[in-house]
Amino acid sequence: MENQSSQTKHFFPSGPNKFKDPRVTFIQETEKYVFKDESQNLSYEWDEDKKAWFPMWNEQLIASQQSAYSVEGVDETEEVIKPRDKRKKIYTMEDESAKKKPKTEKKKIITSVYVSGLPFDTTLDEMKKVFSKYGIISEDINTGQPRIKLYKDSEGNLKGDGLVTFLKPESVELCINLLDEADFRLGENSKIRVQKAEFKEKEKTNDNSHKNPDNKRKIQQKIIKQQKKLDWFDETTGKRAEKSKKVMILKNMFTVEEIEEDPSLILDLKEDVRTECENFGEVTNVVLYEKNPEGVISVRFKDELSVLLCIRKMNGRYFAGKRIVAEVYDGKTKYKVTNPLEDKEEEERKRSERYRQFLNQQDQEDQEIDNSNTNANTNTINENKSNETK
């Protein structure tokens, strides 16, 4: 009996070498040790937290449990209709955790671009001038300055990379499409890389200054002020500013002398420019300002994106030995040029023409009066002769 009791006590593998027992195997999928009892054809799993072996549920174990607790005369396979339970359901901790849906992390909106390959003498003003073409640059809530950062090393020297934060995420995509692998400075070998900025999540601190109602109100007011800049036109200029964003200005396309020597050049230039620009979008109008000494041609597109794409392609190119300047129309500059002397001569010519027409009209009226008097005299003479004959 003593030997049998000893064997029963040490039925499960135990001791420091329990996992080296030939009946124990390590399951890679679950990363747990399993002991198989060949005598009962049952398996047991080791619980590391409770330091004990527990039976693994399978069909055979379930069947044996059901047979042990079966009631004679009761069909176990028959569906049971449960009465309504008026008591509150009691959830275990496991049930509560399963009941709660896992929180889905909100996709963070990226409004910043990381720029690398910048010249080492780049300035903030230069960055603002280049990147503001692709959207409204966000402003710092406290300083009101554009959110542009140029990174420096430990000695204070520029490293050639920086960060630009826009107000809207759409500007990020536009900036990447148009500036990535483009020259930062036209005419110089200054190719830059532009990509979406990636940020590491900041550690939470106990700073509750942002919860101050006054600070919160100021931040909201400044954000509203920045949002107003998203409108392409303001109350004073109306739709004019909105339309100007769809117009591209080309300079150095011709000289006044060339147009005076060959007026047919106007039609040829307009046709060539329209054909070239239609590669970037629908062109609705082309105007050549023949008297402008800067050789200006304006091109109106159907949308703003086409303007930016065309500017990227045309700006800095050479045409007829001259370097083209391509830019968005500012909505204010008047490119139509008039010569005051020519205007005066034209006005004198029109005045002389009007006076000549006036004199001609007077002559016609005088002639009509003379003709009328002559006819009247003739009729009087004829009447007198007729009376004498009678």
Side-chain angles (χ1 to χ4, degrees), residues 136-354:
I136 304 296
I137 298 177
S138 179
E139 294 179 356
D140 185 87
I141 296 297
N142 296 319
T143 64
Q145 295 299 315
R147 292 178 63 185
I148 301 174
K149 186 174 184 179
L150 294 173
Y151 293 107
K152 300 179 180 180
D153 58 20
S154 57
E155 297 180 357
N157 300 317
L158 292 177
K159 295 168 61 179
D161 58 347
L163 189 76
V164 180
T165 301
F166 292 99
L167 205 56
K168 299 292 285 183
E170 292 81 3
S171 301
V172 173
E173 296 294 337
L174 181 62
C175 184
I176 292 174
N177 291 336
L178 297 180
L179 267 187
D180 187 35
E181 296 189 347
D183 287 333
F184 181 70
R185 293 170 179 167
L186 294 175
E188 295 184 15
N189 186 14
S190 54
K191 187 174 291 186
I192 59 175
R193 291 303 312 272
V194 182
Q195 56 193 14
K196 281 186 179 180
E198 296 181 0
F199 300 96
K200 292 182 180 179
E201 189 173 354
K202 293 183 179 180
E203 296 181 358
K204 293 183 179 180
T205 62
N206 295 325
D207 183 14
N208 295 324
S209 59
H210 64 283
K211 294 184 179 180
N212 188 317
D214 293 335
N215 291 343
K216 189 175 181 180
R217 194 178 299 109
K218 289 179 181 179
I219 291 173
Q220 288 177 343
Q221 290 175 353
K222 290 193 175 183
I223 290 176
I224 292 172
K225 187 177 180 180
Q226 290 186 30
Q227 289 289 340
K228 287 183 178 179
K229 293 185 178 181
L230 289 174
D231 297 331
W232 290 110
F233 58 94
D234 54 31
E235 295 178 356
T236 56
T237 58
K239 292 287 184 179
R240 186 183 303 171
E242 181 184 18
K243 292 180 179 180
S244 67
K245 297 290 182 180
K246 299 179 183 179
V247 178
M248 176 184 68
I249 299 298
L250 297 174
K251 296 180 180 179
N252 298 330
M253 296 296 295
F254 60 88
T255 63
V256 177
E257 291 77 14
E258 290 173 344
I259 298 298
E260 290 176 349
E261 291 176 3
D262 184 8
S264 65
L265 186 61
I266 296 176
L267 295 178
D268 294 339
L269 272 175
K270 290 176 66 174
E271 186 63 28
D272 291 344
V273 169
R274 177 182 286 273
T275 302
E276 180 70 19
C277 293
E278 283 178 343
N279 293 324
F280 307 96
E282 184 177 344
V283 176
T284 59
N285 191 27
V286 178
V287 179
L288 187 148
Y289 298 93
E290 55 189 83
K291 299 294 184 181
N292 193 296
E294 293 183 289
V296 175
I297 297 178
S298 69
V299 183
R300 183 182 296 279
F301 287 89
K302 190 175 181 180
D303 56 80
E304 299 166 19
L305 180 58
S306 300
V307 175
L308 297 175
L309 291 172
C310 193
I311 287 175
R312 181 183 178 185
K313 183 70 175 179
M314 301 286 283
N315 194 29
R317 288 176 57 182
Y318 283 87
F319 178 76
K322 297 182 288 293
R323 188 175 181 178
I324 300 174
V325 175
E327 59 191 14
V328 179
Y329 178 45
D330 59 12
K332 300 176 182 178
T333 306
K334 304 295 183 183
Y335 292 106
K336 186 176 181 180
V337 177
T338 56
N339 190 326
L341 182 60
E342 290 181 356
D343 289 347
K344 187 175 181 180
E345 292 176 352
E346 180 67 16
E347 184 64 27
E348 289 290 339
R349 187 188 66 78
K350 290 181 180 179
R351 189 182 296 109
S352 298
E353 180 65 22
R354 288 195 298 270

